[in-house]
Amino acid sequence: EVQLVQSGEEVKKPGESLKIPCEGSGYNFTTYWIGWVRQMPGKGLEWMGIIYPGDSDTRYSPSFKGQVTISADKSINTAYLQWSSLKASDTAMYYCARQGGPTIFFDSWGQGTLVTVSS
Amino acid sequence: QSVLTQPPSVSAAPGQKVTISCSGGSSNIGNNYVSWYQQLPGTAPKLLIYDNNKRPSGIPDRFSGSKSGTSATLGITGLQTGDEADYYCGTWDSSLSTVVFGGGTRLTVL
């Protein structure tokens, strides 16, 4: 069974850094792209970017480029989403999701990590 | 404002059929495959339809997808109270170089 497991809620202060994981299991982690999706409170889905763990090829949405860093460690089947300096506006649920094939669709999703940034 | 336009809400009675539209343009729906996702309250999205009209294993045939030109449609027949959720369409936008989602449609089963 394909599974993506994310960490629990994170509560941080503005200006702090954060790196949240997404661990894949049940499939060959290195051969599927992993994407990150933001959902702000009460809002819709926003695609942030995607990484190919096999060679760490990474693509960012123009809206998020320079704001976050996506990385992966294929030795432990884990992708990451990272901030160097959080803002209150980063408060949201963050999902990782596996791209299911050569076309753009996400066939398996993590349970989400809720990030709350507040002073 | 989302690149893909969905109605904010739709409703229908149990057992009935409902359709949810997703309107875009030539840079997204017009030239790329569409997928649909169901997000039950408090849970992660779940893939319902990919490549315009294909269902992943385990998704009942009550759910269907179609595409015509720059619009796509999700159909749900035999509505159940358990279908109450937010539904999102998604595709690649070649001009923006990003995945785009619709704003979401909340389905109420009356």
Side-chain angles (χ1 to χ4, degrees):
Chain A
E1 178 196 6
V2 175
Q3 275 196 307
L4 295 175
V5 177
Q6 299 185 240
S7 55
E9 182 174 2
E10 299 275 359
V11 180
K12 308 292 277 186
K13 289 181 166 41
E16 293 185 331
S17 63
L18 177 63
K19 190 174 186 179
I20 60 173
C22 168
E23 182 179 3
S25 63
Y27 73 100
N28 188 342
F29 185 75
T30 61
T31 59
Y32 286 82
W33 292 81
I34 292 284
W36 287 92
V37 175
R38 182 176 78 174
Q39 188 168 38
M40 300 179 78
K43 302 298 184 182
L45 307 175
E46 300 174 272
W47 184 78
M48 303 175 72
I50 201 161
I51 188 165
Y52 189 75
D55 61 7
S56 291
D57 185 7
T58 308
R59 318 283 172 83
Y60 292 94
S61 162
S63 298
F64 290 93
K65 191 167 187 177
Q67 309 305 307
V68 296
T69 301
I70 294 171
S71 60
D73 184 342
K74 62 184 179 181
S75 69
I76 56 171
N77 289 357
T78 302
Y80 300 96
L81 178 64
Q82 182 176 4
W83 295 260
S84 59
S85 181
L86 285 159
K87 302 184 285 287
S89 57
D90 292 318
T91 294
M93 182 71 83
Y94 293 88
Y95 295 102
C96 62
R98 188 184 82 160
Q99 182 172 316
T103 59
I104 302 294
F105 65 93
F106 298 101
D107 66 347
S108 185
W109 293 67
Q111 80 275 27
T113 295
L114 179 61
V115 175
T116 301
V117 184
S118 174
S119 55
Chain B
Q1 195 77 353
S2 302
V3 172
L4 304 181
T5 301
Q6 297 181 233
S9 64
V10 296
S11 63
Q16 297 300 303
K17 173 182 177 178
V18 71
T19 59
I20 298 172
S21 61
C22 176
S23 177
S26 59
S27 63
N28 42 69
I29 292 178
N31 284 284
N32 293 286
Y33 288 102
V34 177
S35 53
W36 288 91
Y37 304 87
Q38 176 193 60
Q39 187 174 32
L40 296 168
T43 70
K46 174 184 175 181
L47 178 67
L48 287 180
I49 298 289
Y50 68 100
D51 290 357
N52 302 333
N53 55 18
K54 298 177 182 174
R55 279 177 289 107
S57 61
I59 300 300
D61 59 7
R62 301 189 299 108
F63 296 91
S64 64
S66 64
K67 187 182 103 168
S68 178
T70 58
S71 292
T73 301
L74 173 71
I76 311 173
T77 59
L79 279 171
Q80 303 171 1
T81 55
D83 295 331
E84 287 200 330
D86 293 325
Y87 292 84
Y88 294 91
C89 56
T91 188
W92 178 256
D93 191 296
S94 307
S95 293
L96 299 175
S97 295
T98 186
V99 173
V100 290
F101 292 103
T105 299
R106 177 150 297 178
L107 169 63
T108 301
V109 181
L110 303 166

